[in-house]
Amino acid sequence: MNQTGLKTTCAYCGVGCGVTVPTENDRQVNVSGDAQHPANRGRLCVKGTHLGDVLPLKDRLLVPSVHGEPVSWDLASQTIADKIRQAQAQYGANSVAFYLSGQLLTEDYYAANKLAKGFLGTANVDTNSRLCMASAVAAHVRAFGEDAPPSCYEDVEIADLVVVTGSNLAWAHPVLFQRLQAARAEQPSKKMVVIDPRKTATALEADLHLAIKPGADGQLFNALLVYLDKHQACAREYIAEHVSGYAQTLAAATLDVGTDSRIQAELCGLPEADLLAFFALFAQTPKTTTLWSMGINQSESGVDKSNAIINVHLATGRIGQPGASAFSITGQPNAMGGREVGGLANQLAIHRGFDADSIAQVGAFWQASHMAQKPGLKAVDLFDACLAGDIKVLWIMATNPVASLPDANKIRAALAQVETLIVSEVVQSTDTLDCADIRLPALAWGEKDGTVTNSERTISRQRPFLIAPGQARADWWALATVAQKLGFTDAFAWHHAHEIFREHARLSRLNRATALSFDLSAVADLSLAEYQDWLPQQWPLDGTTRTPRLFGDGQFPSHDGRAQMVPISPISVDQPDGGDYILNTGRLRDQWHTMARTGYAMALNQHSPQFELHIHPNDAEHNAIVNGDLVAVRSDLGSFYALARIDAAQQPSELFAAMHWNRQFASHGGVANVIASRVDPISGQPASKHARVQLAKQTSQANGFLFIGDGQPAPDWLNELLWFKTHTRQGTLYRFFSLQQSLADFIALRSQDGTPCTMSLTDSSQQSAQWIGQDAGGLQFWLSIHRAATPWPDSLFLDRAAEQPNPGLSLNALLTGQQDDAPIRGKIVCTCFSVTDSQITDFLQSHAQASLSTLQTALCCGTNCGSCLTEVKTLMKDKASARTASADALC
Ligand code: SF4
């Protein structure tokens, strides 16, 4: 592993891994894990390993524009300043809003928050972190008095029991999962319990998987509290000295779930024996850490559920102790940094709210001309205000709300009502950018310069190693430029991100007079050289010696120094209306959010190239659906289409689709079309995890695929079809379906588009047709349409181990259902070494006694980032079971 070179931080999840980049200003770079970074100690998951694949400038937004006309930054920022001034003069301060992102650096976040809340007088500043962990934030404040996660990553290694709830940790936070797995491998007595309706990659590795009824997690933890009390497993002395609300909380939990474990198990949809096994394990294991994430937070009762988790840890004194804590894992790389600066609409800054003292103190520090006086609109309310015409200027930075907020059609309609929509983006097209009046080219990972804070409160540097392309600029610079044009010259006269960080740290000095933990005052006078040399450090940074954990001494930053157990009864179980099926949503191993970056990395498209709907075999049979069928998912709000994947790991009557697809990758959009804008009443976090839907198989008149080489425009006729798009080697691959046009109509339509072809073929029975265009640069165009289901050429276009597709060979092979003369390699399991499931099972077929290490020595699968290890082990288990079954049959 190359440990020389520049050190920076991964762009994706909240684990916040350190990354080493060997050379500067190289967009073909291979990155490696930073062995010195405390979050990952050299490890990277598959997304981090392929960070170098998203650096090419293909599809980058490089020039500012106003209403589609390229303009200078000077004109763009003057236009924005004028629009803000006009809107506020005519409609008031709150007619201007900002919608930010956990992808922003802390310095960018700080600039936006200061401009809005200190100088424009509006707290309408919210962030996509509202969709990620706002419920956990509110629960921390209710329980501890501050949004201060008490744990650190080491806890998952030290714990004797790790409970994972509402998180597919193996795919969403892979390096943390690998740390947990390594600790379990070293000490097999350590246990992991996974609470998840689906048998996820994480659940497959669990000692106990509780396939809970969707949304019933809160009731499970209420029932656990009742059990702990009944079995004298609560820490009475700790509670007496440090915790309020025990009796009321226990009474409320008992009211919610009763004391009968049989009934509790029914409420949770679990076998009673499993429920009791979990309760006993929790009661008997002092070193227990519970991890939770979006599966808990994205709920109409996400705050209550988070508090139900914290309640059992407070009741047992397991908060801020080595290996014993309640640990909310954030989704995004800088969700935590956004919380520090006040990036949520209900926060002011530095963990302060909108009380009179905080407004006065922060206002005085900023020398603010127009302080916001009360909380602003949370994300869903903010976009409702847009729809109502109340927001005249909206500036969206580094996020894609049309694709990520629920009810995509409503969000699109809301943006249409905003008079001036400004979007700062990295790529040329997203579902949100396509609605913008003013487009601003932002810096991407590798170009940005600033800090991020991960889930365990560690602040790390993101360092630039690439020259900024075109006119792309830092987001803080864009904000400061507009602020200057509004006349706020002194307050935004920064020249470098370092000056912003230092100002933020100085502001945090105000917290010295409070019990709040968030304090960076020890680095408030940091020099530029020290900022450049910054090594990862965990806050609080107040100059005192602290442990990596908070509240281990039982002292909490509440008004009386005690933690608060929160009575919750009843915990509502999300009950979306209508539909025969519950749609669950989640993430894929190799993709990130709306795929604006990972969707362009061919290596990351290999594992799950298609937008798939996972369906239990019984439901598939009931609907006469087979693998690969086109299916429609509908709710009262809208619909989306996907390809069927029959999956025995699904629960009956439940479906699963990944949250990543949107109109850039699927013509009719993704799961956001069918999810309602129901929110938690305290946190305002949308319940994006579940929706009630209808399922229907779709019959197409014709279907096929289209490959177009890089730089070639997509033909217009594609707009009349239903398609799914994948970026591949040297081009873009569409899989399409014609719901209305017959094959003959389609052939006529295609014949008029004038695309030059070097080869074409229509079979005599009019069952299929193909057109191919090649030049000296290779394949430029390949259209294949069929009346019956078309073989899908994933392996031709996406397999890095395969040769460039050769239509001359492949044409005939496709028509006869074979692909080239080479055997189909199968589905990619290991992205790093392009190893497929067929290769693994073939090896196991000929090496019946092979161990994991023998397999890895032969094929290398799982030896780099390890993200595929669960799948590799599952294939081994399946093969072993098949062998046993056939041996039994012979006996
Ligand atoms: S776990 Fe993967 S995606 Fe998350 S920070 Fe680490 S390398 Fe990046």
Side-chain angles (χ1 to χ4, degrees):
M1 188 178 295
N2 185 348
Q3 285 305 314
T4 60
L6 178 137
K7 294 190 174 189
T8 183
T9 312
C10 177
Y12 300 120
C13 85
V15 178
C17 296
V19 174
T20 302
V21 182
T23 46
E24 299 207 20
N25 205 30
D26 181 357
R27 289 187 182 269
Q28 309 282 324
V29 76
N30 284 323
V31 307
S32 55
D34 176 0
Q36 272 83 48
H37 197 287
N40 56 317
R41 299 173 193 151
R43 295 180 175 96
L44 288 179
C45 77
V46 65
K47 292 187 285 288
T49 300
H50 291 277
L51 272 164
D53 295 15
V54 300
L55 299 176
L57 293 175
K58 181 184 172 189
D59 295 319
R60 275 294 294 272
L61 181 68
L62 295 173
V63 180
S65 66
V66 176
H67 296 302
E69 290 298 317
V71 297
S72 65
W73 266 102
D74 189 56
L75 183 56
S77 46
Q78 186 62 56
T79 307
I80 295 168
D82 292 345
K83 294 291 182 189
I84 289 173
R85 206 181 274 120
Q86 287 161 14
Q88 292 202 308
Q90 195 170 351
Y91 301 102
N94 291 326
S95 63
V96 173
F98 294 78
Y99 188 63
L100 310 176
S101 164
Q103 304 285 312
L104 291 175
L105 305 184
T106 300
E107 292 77 359
D108 301 322
Y109 248 129
Y110 180 88
N113 196 55
K114 179 180 176 183
L115 173 61
K117 292 178 185 161
F119 291 82
L120 298 178
T122 175
N124 287 338
V125 180
D126 214 44
T127 160
N128 62 9
S129 297
R130 180 72 58 195
L131 323 182
C132 168
M133 46 12 64
S135 294
V137 169
H140 288 155
V141 173
R142 290 207 299 186
F144 309 141
E146 182 183 1
D147 172 28
S151 316
C152 63
Y153 295 156
E154 197 183 39
D155 287 333
V156 304
E157 296 166 325
I158 297 174
D160 294 320
L161 168 64
V162 173
V163 181
V164 182
T165 180
S167 167
N168 184 5
L169 199 71
W171 283 13
H173 298 95
V175 165
L176 184 58
F177 183 70
Q178 287 171 28
R179 287 181 62 167
L180 166 61
Q181 291 294 80
R184 291 174 73 209
E186 211 167 282
Q187 197 178 324
S189 62
K190 290 178 185 290
K191 299 279 186 260
M192 176 170 71
V193 174
V194 174
I195 303 163
D196 198 306
R198 292 193 308 130
K199 195 179 273 186
T200 61
T202 314
L204 282 167
E205 296 287 322
D207 297 291
L208 176 62
H209 171 211
L210 301 177
I212 195 167
K213 192 163 78 181
D217 320 65
Q219 292 176 308
L220 180 68
F221 281 90
N222 264 355
L224 174 57
L225 181 63
V226 172
Y227 178 97
L228 294 170
D229 180 78
K230 186 175 165 189
H231 292 79
Q232 289 85 44
C234 292
R236 294 287 180 179
E237 277 183 29
Y238 179 86
I239 292 168
E241 284 181 31
H242 304 297
V243 180
S244 302
Y246 178 79
Q248 300 91 319
T249 305
L250 177 64
T254 308
L255 193 66
D256 186 30
V257 296
T259 54
D260 184 336
S261 58
R262 189 179 51 79
I263 293 171
Q264 292 168 347
E266 258 174 43
L267 285 171
C268 298
L270 294 170
E272 184 184 6
D274 286 357
L275 182 94
L276 290 174
F278 167 53
F279 289 175
L281 198 55
F282 192 100
Q284 292 157 12
T285 315
K287 281 190 185 174
T288 294
T289 288
T290 302
L291 304 174
W292 81 97
S293 191
M294 265 72 89
I296 295 292
N297 296 332
Q298 291 182 335
S299 158
E300 284 175 275
S301 53
V303 182
D304 281 351
K305 287 174 183 168
S306 299
N307 278 115
I309 294 168
I310 296 171
N311 282 343
V312 295
H313 279 267
L314 286 171
T316 48
R318 300 172 189 167
I319 288 286
Q321 302 294 335
S325 218
F327 197 174
S328 149
I329 306 295
T330 57
Q332 300 194 77
N334 199 29
M336 184 77 80
R339 289 145 73 177
E340 290 157 12
V341 303
L344 291 162
N346 49 318
Q347 302 172 334
L348 177 57
I350 54 163
H351 285 196
R352 299 289 195 96
F354 285 85
D355 57 280
D357 277 355
S358 295
I359 292 171
Q361 290 174 21
V362 174
F365 178 87
W366 280 341
Q367 298 186 355
S369 57
H370 190 182
M371 282 294 287
Q373 299 296 313
K374 59 181 178 39
L377 297 168
K378 295 169 185 157
V380 169
D381 295 338
L382 176 63
F383 285 91
D384 283 347
C386 292
L387 190 63
D390 296 337
I391 303 296
K392 305 298 179 187
V393 178
L394 175 63
W395 191 341
I396 296 173
M397 308 186 98
T399 185
N400 187 1
V402 174
S404 55
L405 272 167
D407 198 354
N409 293 327
K410 185 181 81 170
I411 302 301
R412 207 174 276 109
L415 294 183
Q417 296 302 314
V418 176
E419 286 181 7
T420 305
L421 176 63
I422 307 145
V423 177
S424 299
E425 243 308 336
V426 162
V427 292
Q428 282 175 10
S429 182
T430 71
D431 289 10
T432 301
L433 187 68
D434 293 352
C435 306
D437 302 297
I438 300 177
R439 300 167 183 219
L440 300 176
L443 297 180
W445 184 82
E447 298 152 11
K448 290 183 178 204
D449 192 359
T451 55
V452 290
T453 311
N454 70 7
S455 296
E456 62 168 353
R457 293 174 279 109
T458 296
I459 301 171
S460 303
R461 290 277 277 112
Q462 268 201 21
R463 294 185 170 92
F465 57 91
L466 297 168
I467 293 170
Q471 296 183 47
R473 296 285 182 276
D475 291 311
W476 67 260
W477 180 90
L479 288 153
T481 303
V482 169
Q484 303 249 348
K485 291 197 181 293
L486 284 163
F488 312 129
T489 43
D490 293 344
F492 294 87
W494 304 306
H495 301 94
H496 192 278
H498 154 252
E499 296 166 42
I500 307 174
F501 181 82
R502 203 167 55 174
E503 182 179 316
H504 173 46
R506 285 180 179 166
L507 176 61
S508 77
R509 273 188 184 140
L510 295 176
N511 285 347
R512 281 187 164 180
T514 71
L516 293 173
S517 312
F518 181 69
D519 185 348
L520 306 181
S521 54
V523 292
D525 297 314
L526 200 71
S527 69
L528 176 58
E530 288 167 329
Y531 181 73
Q532 301 294 36
D533 293 342
W534 178 276
L535 294 175
Q537 295 186 65
Q538 207 182 12
W539 63 258
L541 291 168
D542 56 1
T544 64
T545 307
R546 299 258 191 157
T547 73
R549 300 169 184 86
L550 299 176
F551 319 139
D553 58 359
Q555 296 304 305
F556 294 87
S558 60
H559 66 281
D560 60 1
R562 295 169 69 85
Q564 183 72 48
M565 287 176 68
V566 182
I568 298 155
S569 177
I571 290 185
S572 69
V573 177
D574 299 344
Q575 297 284 7
D577 299 330
D580 296 332
Y581 295 89
I582 294 176
L583 172 72
N584 294 307
T585 67
R587 289 148 190 269
L588 295 179
R589 192 190 81 183
D590 292 7
Q591 292 296 345
W592 177 255
H593 282 196
T594 59
M595 300 197 286
R597 284 174 299 190
T598 50
Y600 290 86
M602 195 201 86
L604 297 178
N605 287 333
Q606 294 179 104
H607 183 252
S608 304
Q610 298 303 328
F611 185 21
E612 292 179 324
L613 183 77
H614 293 239
I615 308 169
H616 187 273
N618 295 353
D619 298 325
E621 190 181 352
H622 178 72
N623 289 282
I625 291 169
V626 298
N627 265 328
D629 274 351
L630 180 69
V631 290
V633 176
R634 294 195 170 88
S635 75
D636 294 345
L637 300 167
S639 61
F640 69 88
Y641 297 88
L643 301 172
R645 175 155 175 200
I646 299 171
D647 182 357
Q650 280 296 121
Q651 300 280 347
S653 301
E654 291 182 22
L655 309 169
F656 174 81
M659 48 80 77
H660 308 291
W661 271 263
N662 52 73
R663 283 197 184 175
Q664 306 304 311
F665 297 92
S667 59
H668 289 60
V671 298
N673 291 353
V674 301
I675 294 173
S677 293
R678 301 183 324 273
V679 298
D680 181 287
I682 300 165
S683 68
Q685 179 155 358
S688 300
K689 273 289 162 193
H690 320 292
R692 277 260 171 207
V693 294
Q694 297 289 0
L695 168 67
K697 176 176 172 169
Q698 294 295 296
T699 307
S700 63
Q701 304 293 321
N703 70 96
F705 70 83
L706 167 69
F707 171 82
I708 44 178
D710 280 340
Q712 307 285 326
D716 290 343
W717 49 257
L718 209 50
N719 296 330
E720 297 178 36
L721 303 174
L722 190 157
W723 51 256
F724 304 101
K725 180 167 88 177
T726 312
H727 291 288
T728 72
R729 273 181 301 165
Q730 297 156 359
T732 306
L733 185 62
Y734 293 86
R735 181 168 200 175
F736 61 79
F737 297 84
S738 170
L739 299 185
Q740 265 102 39
Q741 288 161 345
S742 67
L743 187 68
D745 291 343
F746 190 87
I747 290 171
L749 189 68
R750 148 70 195 114
S751 304
Q752 293 157 16
D753 80 1
T755 309
C757 294
T758 50
M759 197 188 318
S760 68
L761 178 77
T762 305
D763 80 345
S764 52
S765 55
Q766 291 277 308
Q767 295 300 308
S768 67
Q770 309 238 8
W771 291 268
I772 289 162
Q774 286 174 289
D775 62 18
L779 184 66
Q780 300 300 330
F781 181 90
W782 185 359
L783 169 62
S784 173
I785 57 174
H786 299 246
R787 199 185 298 279
T790 314
W792 180 232
D794 280 2
S795 58
L796 286 179
F797 289 94
L798 282 169
D799 187 347
R800 284 174 298 158
E803 295 299 316
Q804 156 85 356
N806 182 340
L809 288 174
S810 304
L811 178 62
N812 193 37
L814 273 167
L815 288 172
T816 56
Q818 305 290 317
Q819 298 203 2
D820 275 358
D821 295 337
I824 295 171
R825 289 202 333 120
K827 178 184 179 299
I828 293 285
V829 172
C830 172
T831 298
C832 297
F833 293 103
S834 272
V835 181
T836 67
D837 54 356
S838 307
Q839 287 176 285
I840 294 169
T841 48
D842 286 353
F843 182 86
L844 295 171
Q845 184 70 28
S846 52
H847 300 77
Q849 303 306 319
S851 64
L852 176 62
S853 65
T854 313
L855 175 71
Q856 290 186 308
T857 304
L859 300 181
C860 294
C861 46
T863 55
N864 183 39
C865 74
S867 296
C868 63
L869 272 175
T870 304
E871 283 164 86
V872 172
K873 286 194 235 168
T874 302
L875 285 168
M876 293 183 76
K877 268 187 218 157
D878 289 350
K879 197 73 193 165
S881 308
R883 237 180 259 120
T884 308
S886 69
D888 288 349
L890 286 173
C891 289

